[in-house]
Amino acid sequence: MGSITFNHVYKRYKGEARPAVNDFHLSIEEGEFLVLVGPSGCGKSTTLRMLAGLEEISEGDLYIDDKYVNYLSPKDRDIAMVFQNYALYPNLSVYENIALGLKLRKTAKHDIELRVNRVARILEISHLLGRKPNQLSGGQKQRVALGRAIAREPQVFLMDEPLSNLDAKLRAQTRAEIIKLQSELKRTTVYVTHDQVEAMTMGTRIVVMKDGIIQQVAPPRELYDQPANLFVAGFIGSPQMNFIQGSVTREDGRFYFVNKRIKLPVPEHHYPGFNRDRNGISFIMGVRPEHALLKADTGREEEEGWVRCEVEMTEITGADSYVYVRLGEQTVIVRTDPDKLHRKDDKLLVSFAMNKVHFFEEQSGDSVSLKGDAQ
Amino acid sequence: MNAWHWISPAKRKRIIKQRYLYLMLVPAFLWSVLFAYGPMVGLYMAFIDYQPTLGKFWSSFFGGKFVGLQWFNLFFAGDEFFLIMRNTLVSSVLSIAIGFVVPIVIAMALNEVRYMAFKRVVQTVSYMPYFISWVIAANIFVTLLSADGLVNELLKLLGLTRDSILFMQEGRYFWGIVAGANTWKDMGYNSIIYLAAIASINPELYEAARVDGAGRVKQAAYITLPMLKPTIVILLILAVGNLLNTGFDQYYLLGNSLNRDYSDVLDTYAFRYGLQNGMFSYASAVGLFKSIVAFLLVLGVNSLARRMKSNSLF
């Protein structure tokens, strides 16, 4: 119960040249925690709203449990939704807010009471049941909004940026609670966020969207380790992946990534991507900050794989330190031990863990190693 | 030391910073002084025996004999007091009851209309009567309700009556006619306030209600109406404050000697005695009585609203 199928779904608005959601084709398994992530205007909320029945589908088919739901009203889809601004009925008490959905579905009074009290216990809001929404803090309101969704016991939970109005500490706390709740309730959950940290920590599978188009669908680890294109590589991960422009040359059967400043050997597992005719094509090498290394510049000639650089600035986040180094015309971020102090204009050598780097075609942005595999 | 020195430096700084805002208040302040507070001097007339003398207003005004509450006593003990009060109160309550509910219903109904062109047309047509003068509006009603008017013709056509009903001649119809005319004239204009209040309701609430399983009626009951409550309460307080302020024009223009027992209200009574019979002091006493009752009503309803944890004016 609770599987969802989007079959080439489009959403077009009048007067807009480009569809807000463009050929969204995806199956969501029962009990899955799927996160839709992307920048503002990428179509993630529109997709969720089409699933909720709050937006009409312009083209394509939508199924919940093999039931065609394109024209079904929200109340008949057996879904519950948590909104960004909580959407609690201000004139009703917390109890009435949670109970309303059940009351409208003509649930027996004693059953409503049981369910509301159980949900209130789970979310630790029993002491708030008599209060009105304006007497609650942001975190409490969000719990009530969650409670309202849970009490209905729907097949599918839909969450539209439910944590974006909370402060950082409360957000992390509520995030953990939602993950715990979802694993306990085992209900299919579709969660929309623009925050990649939220997406990575919550989703069992993540859909990255841009301009209404799915860029990649993958579990968090895979998304991080094997981004399908430049956009995904840049969007997932904080600080974002370093991108270095260059081209690939072949010497004695070996491939090298070269630009004015560097010449680095391409790992063999990337060779299939370069074996095709790639003459004159510019590439971008992507390196995560944790896959770059720094060491002191002794002033001697550059060793193979090490490149001279200058420190621009250092960011200390507590557990880590991020050093921004200038490499020719580009800035590269390197994650280092916070105990090692680097000052502005320090001369250093940087190298990259080549077995962890990514290569993308500059023009298309597609990953060289995953070309043809991306969804 | 001038008054400026009594103001703390922080406040002085704020006043200087907001000087243009204060400048914008000047016309409203002058209006209040000239037309709201200034004329209150004339209330003194209710306590004297004012005898107007041509060209000697001030000497007649301040030189008039002080008679205390004599004019009030005369009004309360008069034969017409209960009749006037009954007409004023019943007619006013009826006008508020109908005229208050209809704009809310119109606003809520218009809010449900999805076809924008239709919505705009209905809105414009419904608030047009507000801009028609009562002289024209009263004539329209008199014509419609005359013995051979449209209403009587329709009633005959539907077989509801054989002979024409003399709406304007029989007093028992008068309160209903005035309430209907008041509502017709003001409903569209008053609904704008509610439409604005509805427009400010967070659309997510309606979406949440739709997901919860609420249809249009339930959405109106659980969201629109409760969210309109503060606006409704404020407007109700203001309306109740005007309970004795029935308005003059419609009663004067729709009333006639045949329906006077129902159409004579405080305003027409004060006009008749004050201006037509020259009893200025008596008319002032009637006017002052009306203002005091209105003030007490506003205080009462406001305190009631506050006790009921609703919005209040102050």
Side-chain angles (χ1 to χ4, degrees):
Chain A
M1 298 285 274
S3 65
I4 300 162
T5 308
F6 286 90
N7 188 16
H8 301 287
V9 168
Y10 289 78
K11 176 68 194 177
R12 292 187 187 90
Y13 289 108
K14 258 187 197 168
E16 298 277 328
R18 169 177 77 78
V21 175
N22 196 342
D23 196 17
F24 196 94
H25 188 70
L26 182 77
S27 291
I28 305 168
E29 282 173 31
E30 186 189 327
E32 195 173 353
F33 195 134
L34 185 96
V35 178
L36 301 177
V37 69
S40 297
C42 72
K44 55 190 188 298
S45 283
T46 310
T47 307
L48 191 83
R49 289 169 61 79
M50 284 195 287
L51 178 55
L54 299 171
E55 293 275 357
E56 276 179 30
I57 293 169
S58 308
E59 197 185 321
D61 309 311
L62 178 62
Y63 299 89
I64 298 178
D65 271 342
D66 301 328
K67 190 175 166 188
Y68 181 68
V69 297
N70 274 40
Y71 302 106
L72 222 54
S73 72
K75 69 181 166 68
D76 299 322
R77 295 189 182 203
D78 203 6
I79 50 146
M81 189 158 169
V82 182
F83 293 84
Q84 184 175 359
N85 297 315
Y86 322 119
L88 299 178
Y89 309 114
N91 52 306
L92 302 185
S93 67
V94 168
Y95 181 94
E96 290 163 332
N97 260 284
I98 299 173
L100 185 66
L102 299 167
K103 197 174 150 192
L104 290 169
R105 283 176 163 74
K106 311 233 182 307
T107 311
K109 208 176 169 186
H110 70 276
D111 197 17
I112 294 178
E113 209 175 311
L114 275 175
R115 285 211 227 172
V116 174
N117 287 326
R118 187 173 58 84
V119 164
R121 248 194 333 272
I122 294 170
L123 294 166
E124 295 172 19
I125 51 170
S126 301
H127 61 294
L128 304 173
L129 287 176
R131 288 196 200 168
K132 290 274 173 71
N134 62 4
Q135 296 170 303
L136 305 177
S137 68
Q140 288 170 333
K141 279 182 192 166
Q142 198 48 270
R143 279 161 189 264
V144 177
L146 279 171
R148 184 169 64 180
I150 296 166
R152 285 253 321 279
E153 296 176 8
Q155 285 187 56
V156 180
F157 286 120
L158 307 178
M159 302 192 187
D160 191 2
E161 308 212 27
L163 307 181
S164 58
N165 285 345
L166 305 182
D167 62 54
K169 194 177 170 191
L170 202 57
R171 201 182 310 158
Q173 193 185 326
T174 316
R175 196 166 68 200
E177 279 168 13
I178 293 176
I179 296 167
K180 195 175 146 212
L181 266 174
Q182 204 273 340
S183 68
E184 280 169 14
L185 298 169
K186 295 185 173 57
R187 296 293 160 110
T188 311
T189 304
V190 182
Y191 188 104
V192 162
T193 180
H194 63 268
D195 182 345
Q196 56 95 19
V197 178
E198 232 169 83
M200 292 292 281
T201 50
M202 298 179 91
T204 47
R205 211 154 51 116
I206 298 170
V207 179
V208 184
M209 293 181 74
K210 186 195 167 201
D211 298 335
I213 300 168
I214 295 178
Q215 301 293 312
Q216 190 172 4
V217 184
R221 191 73 240 177
E222 189 183 322
L223 209 63
Y224 191 78
D225 291 338
Q226 296 163 41
N229 55 37
L230 267 176
F231 176 78
V232 177
F235 193 79
I236 301 293
S238 177
Q240 78 160 50
M241 187 184 273
N242 296 297
F243 295 122
I244 301 166
Q245 281 176 308
S247 57
V248 172
T249 58
R250 194 171 190 168
E251 285 175 27
D252 305 327
R254 292 185 70 188
F255 286 102
Y256 292 89
F257 180 79
V258 294
N259 68 17
K260 280 181 194 167
R261 295 277 294 122
I262 56 178
K263 182 181 179 186
L264 299 165
V266 174
E268 282 183 18
H269 65 267
H270 285 297
Y271 281 13
F274 294 111
N275 273 333
R276 281 172 279 165
D277 182 22
R278 297 295 180 97
N279 279 340
I281 294 180
S282 295
F283 290 92
I284 287 175
M285 186 177 85
V287 191
R288 297 239 178 248
E290 63 270 28
H291 297 145
L293 279 172
L294 289 175
K295 73 173 184 180
D297 184 3
T298 52
R300 278 179 280 172
E301 228 177 273
E302 276 182 7
E303 299 167 45
E304 189 181 292
W306 290 90
V307 189
R308 286 213 162 82
C309 62
E310 256 176 44
V311 175
E312 271 187 348
M313 59 174 275
T314 305
E315 260 179 14
I316 297 170
T317 59
D320 297 305
S321 167
Y322 293 100
V323 184
Y324 290 68
V325 295
R326 179 146 285 278
L327 192 68
E329 288 169 1
Q330 279 177 306
T331 300
V332 172
I333 307 168
V334 183
R335 192 179 83 179
T336 64
D337 187 341
D339 295 334
K340 287 182 184 167
L341 281 176
H342 298 287
R343 289 191 183 80
K344 192 175 180 318
D345 298 331
D346 275 359
K347 303 273 187 286
L348 297 173
L349 291 170
V350 63
S351 84
F352 308 108
M354 291 306 287
N355 56 337
K356 298 277 191 183
V357 300
H358 306 265
F359 292 98
F360 306 95
E361 284 182 14
E362 189 177 13
Q363 206 176 1
S364 67
D366 290 341
S367 167
V368 170
S369 44
L370 291 177
K371 189 140 177 85
D373 300 339
Q375 293 203 40
Chain B
M1 253 202 186
N2 59 32
W4 189 241
H5 290 95
W6 291 97
I7 302 167
S8 69
K11 275 186 186 164
R12 250 184 272 165
K13 206 173 161 187
R14 204 174 60 209
I15 290 170
I16 291 168
K17 194 178 167 194
Q18 299 175 345
R19 60 190 179 280
Y20 294 115
L21 297 178
Y22 283 104
L23 205 65
M24 282 195 271
L25 276 176
V26 170
F29 177 74
L30 287 177
W31 181 89
S32 302
V33 170
L34 286 174
F35 298 105
Y37 288 95
M40 278 190 195
V41 178
L43 291 175
Y44 177 62
M45 210 181 267
F47 304 97
I48 59 167
D49 185 10
Y50 175 68
Q51 297 295 335
T53 315
L54 196 64
K56 293 180 178 171
F57 171 76
W58 293 111
S59 58
S60 315
F61 185 68
F62 290 108
K65 187 187 162 200
F66 186 78
V67 295
L69 299 174
Q70 182 195 306
W71 300 118
F72 292 92
N73 290 333
L74 195 68
F75 175 55
F76 296 143
D79 294 340
E80 289 169 304
F81 176 71
F82 286 104
L83 187 80
I84 300 294
M85 287 307 289
R86 182 202 67 174
N87 291 349
T88 307
L89 286 171
V90 174
S91 182
S92 196
V93 167
L94 202 62
S95 287
I96 290 177
I98 302 171
F100 201 76
V101 175
V102 172
I104 300 171
V105 175
I106 288 180
M108 288 174 71
L110 277 176
N111 185 51
E112 296 299 322
V113 176
R114 292 286 163 263
Y115 185 50
M116 287 311 283
F118 176 73
K119 187 177 176 174
R120 268 190 226 119
V121 168
V122 171
Q123 219 177 323
T124 311
V125 167
S126 66
Y127 74 64
M128 244 175 219
Y130 182 83
F131 300 101
I132 296 174
S133 100
W134 263 116
V135 177
I136 296 164
N139 267 308
I140 293 172
F141 274 87
V142 168
T143 310
L144 284 175
L145 297 166
S146 64
D148 54 355
L150 184 71
V151 176
N152 268 314
E153 291 301 318
L154 268 175
L155 290 174
K156 282 182 204 166
L157 198 72
L158 294 168
L160 294 171
T161 181
R162 211 157 49 115
D163 303 319
S164 289
I165 300 170
L166 302 173
F167 288 107
M168 301 312 295
Q169 285 82 1
E170 289 182 39
R172 61 195 165 113
Y173 296 117
F174 188 80
W175 296 331
I177 291 167
V178 168
N182 276 332
T183 306
W184 170 77
K185 208 164 173 308
D186 296 341
M187 62 183 183
Y189 191 80
N190 290 344
S191 70
I192 293 173
I193 300 170
Y194 294 109
L195 272 171
I198 291 172
S200 68
I201 299 173
N202 178 5
E204 270 193 359
L205 286 178
Y206 290 103
E207 290 177 348
R210 280 173 69 193
V211 173
D212 270 343
R216 288 278 175 94
V217 177
K218 290 273 163 62
Q219 284 176 38
Y222 284 107
I223 301 168
T224 314
L225 259 183
M227 296 297 278
L228 282 181
K229 202 174 125 199
T231 314
I232 292 173
V233 170
I234 295 283
L235 292 179
L236 191 65
I237 293 170
L238 294 171
V240 170
N242 277 326
L243 202 63
L244 299 190
N245 259 335
T246 46
F248 169 78
D249 303 14
Q250 59 272 50
Y251 290 89
Y252 187 71
L253 293 162
L254 289 169
N256 55 50
S257 52
L258 292 171
N259 61 23
R260 169 147 317 153
D261 282 354
Y262 292 86
S263 66
D264 208 9
V265 291
L266 276 170
D267 285 312
T268 50
Y269 182 76
F271 171 76
R272 208 169 54 248
Y273 276 87
L275 291 179
Q276 291 183 327
N277 296 349
M279 293 172 71
F280 295 105
S281 290
Y282 186 67
S284 297
V286 173
L288 182 57
F289 163 73
K290 199 180 79 172
S291 302
I292 291 169
V293 173
F295 183 60
L296 292 175
L297 280 172
V298 169
L299 283 183
V301 178
N302 190 66
S303 123
L304 198 71
R306 215 171 32 209
R307 263 185 232 170
M308 288 167 74
K309 291 182 179 172
S310 266
N311 272 35
S312 56
L313 270 179
F314 43 84

